[in-house]
Amino acid sequence: MAVSEAEAAVMEVLWRAAPRSAEEILAEVGPAQGWQEGTVKSLLNRLLKKKAVKAEKDGRRYLYTPLLSREKYVSQESKGLLDRLFDGRVAPLVAHFSEQRKLTKKDVAELRKLLKELDDE
Amino acid sequence: MAVSEAEAAVMEVLWRAAPRSAEEILAEVGPAQGWQEGTVKSLLNRLLKKKAVKAEKDGRRYLYTPLLSREKYVSQESKGLLDRLFDGRVAPLVAHFSEQRKLTKKDVAELRKLLKELDDE
DNA sequence: CTCCATCAATTACGCATGTAAACATCAATT
DNA sequence: AATTGATGTTTACATGCGTAATTGATGGAG
């Protein structure tokens, strides 16, 4: 079962710093998403069921820690999109953004650097 | 309302060639996805409701044509992923694929070419 | 004309999701 | 010990999705 988008918002908090209590997570994600307590609790429980986080007791409450790494999650999502829309190839994806003028100067500079580094191998 | 993944599979058929009848669409997408008639009809109707396709009567049946372009769909999906996972910047996305060794020789060659063309502007 | 075959439209159903209320537990306070 | 406040657990409910069966319309065969 995949981690949904709302669940991912909770994961993001945990990826920034963990372990965290439900209260801390709510404080960080609640306002931005307009969520309240029950919602965050539910998301945490679904993440537990999906083995994307684990919880350890800390006195009266629990502290949550990610089990699924951000790297892994990002990989899955990215690969999914790439396969579905660009036949699994990266260059067409970048070409797409280029056509949409979504490449900033900084992007271009970084891409150049990246390619140069690939050369030096 | 967003076009779902199953719906997108139907759109792909129409993007390849349109207008098409439900029967033709089924023939092309059914076997690959393991769908049968009713499923494809439902998806077509949902796409109609979402204004992603239009239908025009052709004798006893309908011919379907995309209203949503593939370009636009790809843009929405790509931008969504980019914003959610890479803070809206392209270079980190490519760096990610590079680290995952998902860049083929061909990708690298094409990226080089792309950057060169950007130079010539 | 009536009946059948062919399409499309409607309805259905289980599961995931987003969102949250209700309930349970338990430590701390009165 | 009883109450309260903080937390976590369970249940709920509307919506969307994947999948399909059922119903409805309509043009062609007899």
Side-chain angles (χ1 to χ4, degrees):
Chain A
M1 230 163 310
V3 168
S4 78
E5 212 168 312
E7 287 157 5
V10 170
M11 292 301 291
E12 288 289 353
V13 175
L14 289 175
W15 283 325
R16 276 197 285 281
R20 306 270 214 128
S21 69
E23 187 187 15
E24 292 171 306
I25 294 168
L26 172 62
E28 197 161 319
V29 82
Q33 308 282 131
W35 287 340
Q36 58 210 83
E37 208 182 324
T39 305
V40 172
K41 298 278 180 69
S42 275
L43 293 173
L44 281 170
N45 271 302
R46 286 178 187 170
L47 287 168
L48 276 174
K49 208 162 288 172
K50 292 178 183 181
K51 309 274 189 197
V53 307
K54 71 173 183 196
E56 52 183 330
K57 201 158 239 153
D58 170 54
R60 63 191 132 220
R61 66 206 186 146
Y62 280 86
L63 295 182
Y64 299 88
T65 309
L67 287 179
L68 172 67
S69 72
R70 183 172 148 100
E71 249 317 299
K72 191 150 199 170
Y73 174 73
V74 168
S75 277
Q76 287 168 186
E77 294 291 305
S78 306
K79 183 168 186 325
L81 182 100
L82 201 67
D83 288 348
R84 278 192 302 119
L85 301 182
F86 298 96
D87 200 24
R89 310 225 348 282
V90 176
L93 199 192
V94 177
H96 167 81
F97 283 118
S98 176
E99 281 155 24
Q100 304 295 123
R101 321 269 144 191
K102 284 286 161 42
L103 289 182
T104 63
K105 307 278 174 215
K106 199 173 172 191
D107 277 326
V108 175
E110 285 178 30
L111 287 175
R112 255 188 247 292
K113 192 169 162 213
L114 187 66
L115 287 179
K116 191 163 295 172
E117 285 168 9
L118 285 179
D119 245 357
D120 302 345
E121 274 173 16
Chain B
M1 228 164 309
V3 169
S4 78
E5 211 168 312
E7 287 158 5
V10 170
M11 293 301 291
E12 288 287 354
V13 175
L14 289 174
W15 284 325
R16 277 197 284 279
R20 306 271 212 127
S21 68
E23 188 187 14
E24 292 171 306
I25 295 168
L26 172 62
E28 196 162 319
V29 81
Q33 309 280 131
W35 288 340
Q36 60 210 82
E37 209 182 325
T39 304
V40 172
K41 297 278 179 67
S42 274
L43 293 173
L44 280 170
N45 273 302
R46 287 176 187 170
L47 287 168
L48 276 174
K49 209 161 288 171
K50 293 179 183 181
K51 310 273 191 198
V53 308
K54 71 173 184 197
E56 52 186 329
K57 201 156 238 156
D58 170 55
R60 64 193 133 219
R61 64 204 187 147
Y62 281 87
L63 296 182
Y64 298 87
T65 309
L67 288 179
L68 172 67
S69 71
R70 185 174 147 99
E71 249 317 298
K72 191 153 201 168
Y73 174 72
V74 168
S75 277
Q76 287 168 188
E77 294 290 306
S78 306
K79 183 170 185 324
L81 182 100
L82 200 68
D83 289 349
R84 278 193 302 118
L85 301 182
F86 297 97
D87 200 23
R89 310 221 352 280
V90 176
L93 201 192
V94 177
H96 168 81
F97 282 119
S98 176
E99 282 157 23
Q100 305 294 124
R101 323 269 145 187
K102 283 288 160 42
L103 288 181
T104 64
K105 305 281 177 215
K106 199 173 174 193
D107 277 325
V108 175
E110 286 179 30
L111 287 175
R112 254 189 248 290
K113 193 169 161 211
L114 186 67
L115 287 179
K116 191 163 295 173
E117 284 166 10
L118 284 179
D119 245 356
D120 302 345
E121 274 176 14

